Each structure stands twice: as C-alpha cells, then as structure tokens.
Amino acid sequence: MLKLKNNDTALFLAFCVMVLAGPIILAPLGAGYPDLLQRFAIFGIFAVGYNILFGLTGYLSFGHAAFLGVGSYSAVWMFKLLSMNIIPGIILAVILSGIFALLIGFITLRRSGIYFSILTLAFAQMSYSLAYSVLTPITNGETGLQIHLADPRILDTKSTDGSLPSTNLFGLEMNDTWRTTLFGMDLQFNVGFYVSAILLILCFYLSIRIFRSPFGLMLRAVKTNQNRLMYTGVNTKPYLLTAFVISGMYAGLAGGLLAAMDPLAGAERMQWTESGTVVLMTILGGTGTLLGPVFGAGAIKYFENIFSKVNDSVLAGWFNFMPDWMTDTMVFLLGPFFGKGWHLTLGLVFMAVVIFLPGGLMEGASKIANLFGKRKNKGSVDSTGTPAE
Amino acid sequence: MDDILLQILNGLDKGSAYALITLGLTLIFGTLGVVNFAHGSLFMLGAFVAVIVRKIMMISSVTLDPTRTNFLGKPLEIKTTYIEQWFGSFGTWMIDYSVPIAVLVAIPVMMLVGFVMERGLIKHFYHRPHADQILVTFGLAIVLQEIVKKFFGANAIPQAAPEAASGALDIGVWLGFAENAVIYPEWRLIYFFFAVAVIAAVFSFLRFTTFGMVVRAGMVDRETVGLLGININRRFTLMFGIAAAVTGMAGVMYAPILSPNYHMGMDFLVLTFVVVVVGGMGSLPGAVLAGFMLGILESFASMNEVKSILPGIDQIIIYLVAIIILLVRPRGLMGKAGVMED
C-alpha cells in the first residue's frame, strides 16, 4: 500500500504511532504542552529535510536558516494579504523557499567541501543582513513582521470584535487545545501540533521514499566518491541541486509552520547560529539515518525548553535527600550546566557525540541494542561514510 | 580626496583585525590542515585576557574615611588598589597601561591555550573528514563562549586604552589637507602598526629562521620532512600555539575598540572564514592582503554616497565579494592549487 519494504513499513508505522501519540508519550517527561510539541514536530521537519542534503550527499550547508526565514516571511505575508487559513501561507512558503533554494543552490553547488559550507554561510548571512536593513519594507526590520487588524485579508470576513484573528485550518484554530487527564497526567491535544505532526509524517514518508529510490542511491554515490561518478559520465550537479532544493523546501515548510503557529517572523530566524542548530540536530540524532534527525531535533528542543528551566532551587530539590553540605556541593557543581547554562551542556554533548559517536544517537542506540544481543537495525543507512569534499 | 583617505584609515583597524585573525587561521590550516571553527573563540579569549588583567590590577583594599560621608551618610569607603599601594605612581601607570601589559600576558597564556586545544582535541581529528573537524571545533566554540558568558556575564565590558593613546590625531594636517578634515583615534593607528609589526614578525620568523624553514617545508610536504628525521608534528603543535597567540594578541589590542563580549568570537568567525576564502585557503600573504582589502572595502561601502546608490551594500559587501571571488577565481586571490579540493 505504501510502496515500502517490510522493514520500512514497520518503521514508518511505528513512527506514525509515536508522533500521533506524542502528547501522551511526552507528558510524563514534562514536555506535553502544545508549544513545545509543535516545535518538536516543526524542527523535526526541518532536520529531516536537512538530512536529505547532508546525510545523503555529505554537503555541509551552514545556510539553511535562510530558507526557514523565507518560509516564515512568506507565510506571514499570506496571513496579512489573503487569509488566516494556513493553507495558502504554507504553500507559498514552500514554493518561495524552493525558488530561493534553487537560486542559492545553483551558485553554491559549483563548489564542494568547505567552500560550499562557506558559500552557503555567506548567502545566509547576506539574507539575514538584508532582512535587517534594506528589505525592511518587506520584513519590517528589527521589529519583525506581524499581523494587524488593518491588514486586507481579502478572503476572510472582517473581524468585528476588534481582536486579532488567529491562524486556522478551515475554521479549526491552531491554538485550540482539548485537555483531559489520564492517570493524573494533564494531556493536551492541540490542533496546531496535529497539523504539524501530519505534515511531519508526510515529510518522513517522502524522505523514506527518497532514501530508498534510485535518486537517493545516486546522492549516496556522490557522498562516497563524486569523482568516480563523474568519470563514469554522470553529471552530478542536477542531482545535488534537486537534493538542495528539496531540503530547502522542507526548511521553508518548517518556517511556514512556525509562522502558522505564531504569526510573526523575525530576521533572527535567519541567523547562522540557527543554521548551526539544525546541523547540531542532525548530527546529534545521526546523520544519514531516517529517524535520527527527528530524535536530534526533539532532544535539542527538549533541552532548550526543559533543561533551561531547571534552576538552582530545582536542583537543590533533587538532591535534598543528601546532607546539606553535599546538596550545596552538587548544586554548585551542576548549576553551571543547567538553567541558563544549558548551551554549555549542549556544546559538551555535541562535542562528545562528534568525538565518540560520529553516527549520533542512532548509532548509540544500535550499539546498546547489539550489546543486549538483539540485532536491531532501525533503518540506519551507512552513517560512517565520509562526506564529500 | 580627504574623504577617500578617511575611509581607508577607517578600514585599516578592522582590516588589521581581520588580517591578524585570518593569519592565525591560515597558519593552523596551512600547517595542520584543520579547519578551526573555534578560531573566533581564540580572538574572544584574547580580549578577555585584557579584561582579566585589568580586573586583577583593580583588586583593591577598602579603607573607611571617617571625616567624609557618602550619600547614605555613612563613612566614605575609599578603594585603593594594591598595585598602587605597592608601587606608588608606577602602579597607577600600570593600570593605565593595562591593555599593552595584557598583550605580554596574552602571549604565554594564549600559547598554552593553543597547546591544550591542539594536544587535547584537535590532534585526534587529523584523519577525520573536514566536516567532522568543523563540527567538533564548532562545538568547542559554543562551549568556550558559554564558559566566558558564565564568568563574565552577557554584557560587554568596556576597556580603556592608555590615557596617552586615547586621543585623536589630525592626520589630514600632516598631509596638507584642511584642519579637522581627517581625524583619527590614536589607538586605532597604534592597532594598525601593531598588526603590521606582528605580521612582519610572523613572516620573518617563517622566512629567516631554521625553525621557520622546516615549518615551511612541512607545509609543502609533511611526509618527506618527517622521513628526514624531523619531528614535524611537534613543530606544528608549536605553530598552533603561535597562531593562537597571534589571534589572542589581536583580541587584546582590539579590546579598547570593541568592548569584549562573549559572542564577539562568533561574530568575527564568519567574516574571518570569508576573508580566508577570498585570500585563498592556505596562503599567508593572501590572508593578510584580503584582510586589509575587505576591511577597507567595507568602510568604503559604508560611505553615504555609496549607500545612497546601493542601499544596504555596507552590510553585505564582504559576502558579495566572497561569492564573486569564489565563483570567478575559485582558489581565491593567492590560493594555491590542490588545497581542499580533493
């Protein structure tokens, strides 16, 4: 039915269940609230898309945040001009970021290796600077693009109660949440999350199909040895460009969704550190694996939102079974890594992953699985190959 | 004419910083073949050496003056730094000259940082792909930045140049222009000469010493030099230390121009890489040339006359130049064939 092999079908179905049951699974971890769940799904899309470029071809792009930003801006413009229905916004976000990716990719893919990284970095920084300065009429500069009551919104009926309309999907508002309690846990099922989750599942399905297709095989051949491929008479450029545009469109979709959940767009979404984050997500989860990027995105967003809220007093609460002086020592020792210092922990974890586990969390998981004698192969592709240079 | 001179001068100090950082980056890249994304952090650490030196000098004893009161009506607290108590007016002089003194401190400190970085981390990445090198040093950059943020906070910490060098010079008058046409801060001029001196020192070290000769030979063909019985790795480690020291000194001297903050490393990193590719990966003269060139170009682009024709050009000129150069002259201005092209 899905045109997948048995293994992949199982993986895909497991993934669907996992994502759709997200609010239930993540509630015990304290991550079951809509805002964070939406981010899990959206950045999952971003990372899955990035993985199609980096994981398959080994081209390390440091400029994908630009597409995220383009997606956000175009979605907000649609909300301003056409309708608060998210469909036109998201469609435009994907199309525009695709075009943008086509232009940038056409130029940057003339070089490979570190030059490609620096070129993409330069383009992204350029878009960021322009969004801040000259393009202010389009991007609203530092304030960021917001929706106003006075915007035309030609497809919508004018709101009369004087409050800003919220984004919706044919009347279903994105911030609608159905709450219930189960075993004392507060479960929140949010429309916005399910919209993102369904798109994530679609994107994930597409990514499996790409990984298993002749096209994906060609991309992996580029990663393994581009020169040899060229000697056999294959022009690799169209394949690379397609991969670049696809991953740019994924990023645009993620940007559009970000705007759909919270209708504003700012230039800081295009900064190169944001591109760095998606690289971190992909590497952390496992480059070139199917599930890895989603897990990586989840892990980083979880860190960002949960880890950063653990302050010294919470820490002291964890250790208060110990004698006082030991509690104080533990808080003193661990304090810098929690709360505001979560970036430090992130950096250290990331370094540890690159040094010891180049395959990311997925490799770690399969190593542990092998340790217990179970041969569990979670659809991992060759993750040890060297990237193209 | 005086406008043009002013823009060139304005570009010089930023260009000097670019040139010094890029020189360090290229030294590391040319010798060890490592793409170091933590290089901006070395610049930032250098700037914070200046902060630390000043902080240490300002440690003071507090005495109460019962004859005077502060605004709360309590006896006035008078802080006297220990350094002034011990050395008298020489101590005052030292505090005033904290930045130049910090340069001397920075050389051993930054070399040590460089050694630790190379031996502790980067050594293990010589045989891994460049992407891995980029990623691990990127992680290191985040860690260093966060540690600095933890200790010094998120706000910039202004540093003063020595009293004698904090004024401005009317350079235009010397060259026959009208008075007040070309006014330039003294410290920036000093920064430029400092940069030239350091660059000259590095080049002559590589050119005229036996050590430098071996290093240059190692840059061309590491294996053969190793076969001749020379421990080239140890020399390369030392070069990493020197590169770190050069970058650190650039940071120290830049502290009075740009108040040190924890993210200055990342800010400069992107530009530095752009400068490197413009100059040509692995070419030392190219790095210096491109550094100065882009600094001056940037300052020309921020002239009002230029901005009125091409709005926003000052923000993107460097990236634009880099993109054009990479596409037209893929090896950069002075790059050699075969570097990073496999």
Side-chain angles (χ1 to χ4, degrees):
Chain A
M1 173 187 80
L2 292 164
K3 291 194 179 169
L4 295 174
K5 285 182 191 147
N6 286 339
N7 261 350
D8 290 339
T9 315
L11 175 76
F12 178 64
L13 291 177
F15 181 77
C16 291
V17 172
M18 202 178 70
V19 171
L20 293 177
I24 303 169
I25 298 172
L26 290 167
L29 293 170
Y33 56 93
D35 189 43
L36 185 55
L37 285 168
Q38 290 166 2
R39 268 161 203 281
F40 281 156
I42 293 170
F43 280 90
I45 294 175
F46 192 15
V48 166
Y50 186 77
N51 191 38
I52 292 176
L53 179 72
F54 180 52
L56 285 179
T57 69
Y59 272 66
L60 177 61
S61 155
F62 257 103
H64 261 55
F67 308 129
L68 192 76
V70 169
S72 286
Y73 281 126
S74 35
V76 175
W77 268 112
M78 279 293 111
F79 299 150
K80 283 168 91 72
L81 297 178
L82 271 184
S83 154
M84 286 308 275
N85 194 329
I86 61 169
I87 301 279
I90 285 179
I91 291 175
L92 187 77
V94 173
I95 293 174
L96 269 190
S97 56
I99 294 171
F100 202 60
L102 187 71
L103 289 176
I104 292 187
F106 185 75
I107 299 172
T108 53
L109 283 167
R110 295 172 65 156
R111 312 301 319 276
S112 62
I114 171 130
Y115 292 106
F116 172 77
S117 303
I118 293 169
L119 270 178
T120 45
L121 187 56
F123 266 110
Q125 281 297 93
M126 220 161 80
S127 331
Y128 166 69
S129 304
L130 287 179
Y132 247 116
S133 55
V134 191
L135 297 179
T136 305
I138 303 174
T139 62
N140 204 11
E142 268 179 66
T143 338
L145 200 59
Q146 288 160 341
I147 53 166
H148 297 290
L149 268 181
D151 293 329
R153 268 190 286 283
I154 45 177
L155 294 184
D156 288 4
T157 44
K158 275 266 179 277
S159 85
T160 45
D161 56 353
S163 63
L164 278 176
S166 54
T167 46
N168 60 63
L169 181 69
F170 302 114
L172 273 174
E173 288 190 3
M174 285 299 124
N175 47 16
D176 262 357
T177 308
W178 179 68
R179 303 177 74 134
T180 182
T181 12
L182 182 75
F183 305 126
M185 285 180 315
D186 182 28
L187 300 182
Q188 306 184 25
F189 298 94
N190 172 262
V191 176
F193 167 69
Y194 277 99
V195 170
S196 324
I198 287 164
L199 284 170
L200 171 64
I201 288 171
L202 285 177
C203 286
F204 186 70
Y205 175 71
L206 191 65
S207 125
I208 302 184
R209 291 298 299 269
I210 289 175
F211 268 61
R212 302 288 181 249
S213 67
F215 169 67
L217 207 61
M218 192 60 98
L219 294 180
R220 239 171 279 160
V222 169
K223 179 176 183 173
T224 318
N225 196 334
Q226 179 157 212
N227 279 336
R228 197 174 286 178
L229 207 58
M230 284 172 176
Y231 294 154
T232 54
V234 179
N235 182 6
T236 54
K237 182 89 186 282
Y239 294 97
L240 284 169
L241 191 57
T242 315
F244 192 84
V245 171
I246 291 174
S247 73
M249 286 164 93
Y250 269 67
L253 173 62
L257 278 174
L258 273 181
M261 300 306 141
D262 186 12
L264 51 89
E268 67 281 347
R269 243 173 230 172
M270 301 176 113
Q271 217 175 358
W272 79 281
T273 41
E274 201 66 22
S275 311
T277 318
V278 73
V279 181
L280 297 190
M281 288 170 180
T282 313
I283 306 277
L284 195 66
T287 326
T289 62
L290 285 168
L291 273 178
V294 183
F295 281 141
I300 287 185
K301 284 292 148 192
Y302 184 76
F303 260 89
E304 188 181 291
N305 288 281
I306 305 295
F307 230 61
S308 62
K309 287 202 187 82
V310 178
N311 55 18
D312 282 1
S313 58
V314 178
L315 269 181
W318 290 357
F319 294 108
N320 63 7
F321 61 90
M322 294 176 173
D324 265 357
W325 63 272
M326 270 180 86
T327 310
D328 290 345
T329 335
M330 290 308 282
V331 171
F332 176 75
L333 287 179
L334 292 177
F337 298 99
F338 288 88
K340 280 180 189 157
W342 76 274
H343 268 290
L344 179 61
T345 322
L346 178 67
L348 288 171
V349 169
F350 179 66
M351 276 174 75
V353 165
V354 176
I355 295 169
F356 301 111
L357 267 183
L361 293 179
M362 293 306 290
E363 190 188 320
S366 64
K367 271 187 179 168
I368 291 170
N370 286 344
L371 215 62
F372 289 105
K374 284 183 215 155
R375 292 264 154 208
K376 204 164 76 178
N377 196 353
K378 277 194 179 174
S380 66
V381 198
D382 170 34
S383 56
T384 48
T386 54
E389 277 157 33
Chain B
M1 188 62 204
D2 46 348
D3 274 355
I4 293 171
L5 181 70
L6 189 65
Q7 293 311 323
I8 291 176
L9 284 171
N10 277 339
L12 275 186
D13 61 302
K14 214 157 195 195
S16 313
Y18 292 157
L20 282 178
I21 306 172
T22 321
L23 183 68
L25 191 68
T26 312
L27 274 179
I28 293 172
F29 180 76
T31 51
L32 298 165
V34 172
V35 183
N36 183 14
F37 257 55
H39 200 73
S41 308
L42 291 173
F43 181 70
M44 177 208 44
L45 287 180
F48 275 92
V49 168
V51 174
I52 294 170
V53 166
R54 191 171 190 92
K55 271 215 166 133
I56 292 174
M57 284 182 176
M58 296 303 281
I59 295 174
S60 14
S61 63
V62 179
T63 45
L64 293 178
D65 186 350
T67 57
R68 288 187 291 171
T69 54
N70 65 3
F71 64 99
L72 287 174
K74 296 199 178 112
L76 187 68
E77 291 177 351
I78 297 174
K79 284 185 178 172
T80 11
T81 56
Y82 284 110
I83 209 159
E84 277 176 297
Q85 290 173 21
W86 298 336
F87 299 110
S89 64
F90 180 63
T92 321
W93 181 86
M94 273 172 81
I95 291 173
D96 187 23
Y97 278 80
S98 72
V99 172
I101 292 169
V103 172
L104 299 179
V105 178
I107 296 173
V109 169
M110 292 308 294
M111 281 187 98
L112 193 70
V113 170
F115 289 146
V116 172
M117 226 166 116
E118 204 270 340
R119 288 287 97 183
L121 181 72
I122 292 176
K123 185 179 87 174
H124 306 288
F125 278 80
Y126 291 153
H127 303 297
R128 303 260 299 255
H130 284 302
D132 278 9
Q133 297 170 354
I134 293 177
L135 294 170
V136 80
T137 46
F138 181 52
L140 181 67
I142 296 176
V143 170
L144 288 176
Q145 170 176 325
E146 289 304 314
I147 291 175
V148 167
K149 188 177 166 190
K150 177 83 200 157
F151 282 101
F152 295 94
N155 295 329
I157 306 165
Q159 298 295 306
E163 189 76 44
S166 53
L169 288 177
D170 196 348
I171 296 180
V173 175
W174 306 345
L175 300 169
F177 295 116
E179 256 181 68
N180 292 330
V182 182
I183 291 182
Y184 197 61
E186 284 171 27
W187 186 258
R188 293 182 182 225
L189 206 61
I190 291 172
Y191 193 84
F192 170 66
F193 286 119
F194 171 79
V196 171
V198 171
I199 291 166
V202 169
F203 273 84
S204 42
F205 175 71
L206 285 174
R207 187 86 216 155
F208 300 120
T209 62
T210 321
F211 187 97
M213 188 183 73
V214 174
V215 169
R216 274 187 297 131
M219 282 164 89
V220 177
D221 190 343
R222 175 183 193 144
E223 212 161 299
T224 313
V225 176
L227 288 174
L228 291 172
I230 295 166
N231 188 348
I232 189 75
N233 287 345
R234 185 182 295 166
R235 286 167 205 248
F236 278 178
T237 307
L238 193 65
M239 283 317 287
F240 196 107
I242 291 175
V246 166
T247 315
M249 284 193 287
V252 175
M253 291 292 279
Y254 211 65
I257 300 176
L258 175 74
S259 305
N261 53 28
Y262 72 96
H263 53 78
M264 68 192 283
M266 287 287 190
D267 298 347
F268 269 83
L269 179 72
V270 181
L271 290 171
T272 314
F273 268 98
V274 171
V275 174
V276 170
V277 293
V278 169
M281 217 70 183
S283 154
L284 292 175
V288 174
L289 180 75
F292 281 114
M293 201 189 81
L294 288 180
I296 292 169
L297 215 58
E298 198 179 23
S299 103
F300 270 108
S302 58
M303 282 169 80
N304 283 331
E305 291 86 340
V306 179
K307 270 204 279 194
S308 61
I309 306 168
L310 296 162
I313 188 78
D314 53 322
Q315 305 276 338
I316 58 163
I317 178 85
I318 288 193
Y319 305 112
L320 214 56
V321 168
I323 289 163
I324 293 168
I325 291 227
L326 266 186
L327 296 174
V328 178
R329 242 186 105 80
R331 279 167 198 146
L333 291 177
M334 301 174 89
K336 290 174 224 116
V339 179
M340 303 283 303
E341 286 175 348
D342 43 358

